[in-house]
Amino acid sequence: ISRKYPCIIKIQAMTRNNLVADIITNLNTYNMNVLQFNVTNTKELTTNIKVKVLALNKYELETLIINLHKIDGILGVRRG
């Protein structure tokens, strides 16, 4: 059995329809176990998302972050 580690990812994006769906699809593509998902919209029409996932290793987490950056409207992705 492989051990997985909890990691927090913070995403900032432009507010748009289906943003959360696109992020969840990306998480599912990489078989990430999601422990927590929190979304906050701002008056400036940006969306801040905090996701807590279980990752096998640093490589898996970095691959996820790179691919989250490719989603339309994403302004930034970083480890929390």
Side-chain angles (χ1 to χ4, degrees):
I1 297 174
S2 298
R3 180 169 180 198
K4 292 191 173 190
Y5 302 92
C7 305
I8 294 174
I9 299 172
K10 294 183 179 180
I11 304 166
Q12 185 177 26
M14 296 173 55
T15 300
R16 67 169 177 82
N17 291 336
N18 299 316
L19 174 64
V20 172
D22 289 347
I23 291 170
I24 290 173
T25 298
N26 197 288
L27 293 169
N28 286 334
T29 298
Y30 293 95
N31 295 317
M32 298 302 284
N33 293 323
V34 179
L35 301 176
Q36 183 180 25
F37 197 95
N38 184 289
V39 180
T40 307
N41 291 313
T42 68
K43 291 180 182 178
E44 294 81 26
L45 297 177
T46 59
T47 300
N48 296 312
I49 300 170
K50 181 179 174 183
V51 184
K52 188 174 187 179
V53 298
L54 288 178
L56 280 173
N57 53 45
K58 184 178 176 182
Y59 174 76
E60 183 177 59
L61 188 62
E62 288 174 350
T63 301
L64 174 65
I65 290 171
I66 288 167
N67 285 290
L68 286 170
H69 273 287
K70 296 177 183 178
I71 295 173
D72 185 43
I74 298 292
L75 302 173
V77 181
R78 64 183 173 90
R79 291 180 67 178

